[in-house]
Amino acid sequence: RFVLSALAYDMGPAQSLDHVIDDADEIRRFHARNAWSEVHGGWTMEDEAASLAAWQPQSPEDLEPIHINLGQMAVLLPSSTGPADDAQFVGEVVQVTPRAVRVLDVDFWRVDTVVIRAEEDVVIPIYVAEHLFENDWRPEVGQYVTGSLWLQAYALGLEKSPT
């Protein structure tokens, strides 16, 4: 078990970015991959032919263009520059604690953010120096934010079972 947290280099509101899949073959592939993944627990390129053969549209709506808002993702990606523990993120704010801690006369906000969606969401408390927020903007619960961070982690001691 590990405890994760992060120190933000920057944080701001995620911009809405709509990606549209409107090619009929790509729409079929998208749905077939999702259906295959749900049944088999994952999908690889080797599953492409089988997933396409197995998936059939249930209604005309299944073949309509697919809109994906990339500004409402939960993603934590290693930074392409800098140290290995730097990352870029987009995620949903689930809790905000203004001025959670003060270090060297700097107020830090704690912004708990979902950065990976899985069976159990990965939520990282991201500490952001208040002066890094632009103008009057402040993060709010339910809002999607983006930025860069320095990821921190430490291992918890193993609990000993009573004997």
Side-chain angles (χ1 to χ4, degrees), residues 93-148:
V93 175
V94 294
Q95 184 174 339
V96 176
T97 307
R99 298 177 186 89
V101 67
R102 185 173 178 83
V103 178
L104 300 173
D105 288 334
V106 176
D107 289 321
F108 287 84
W109 286 44
R110 178 178 165 160
V111 184
D112 293 4
T113 306
V114 177
V115 294
I116 299 173
R117 294 213 187 271
E119 201 169 294
E120 185 176 333
D121 289 346
V122 175
V123 177
I124 297 179
I126 303 173
Y127 291 87
V128 188
E130 188 172 43
H131 70 270
L132 294 176
F133 298 131
E134 288 192 26
N135 304 320
D136 293 332
W137 178 83
R138 297 295 182 268
E140 297 177 5
V141 172
Q143 184 177 35
Y144 283 80
V145 294
T146 187
S148 59

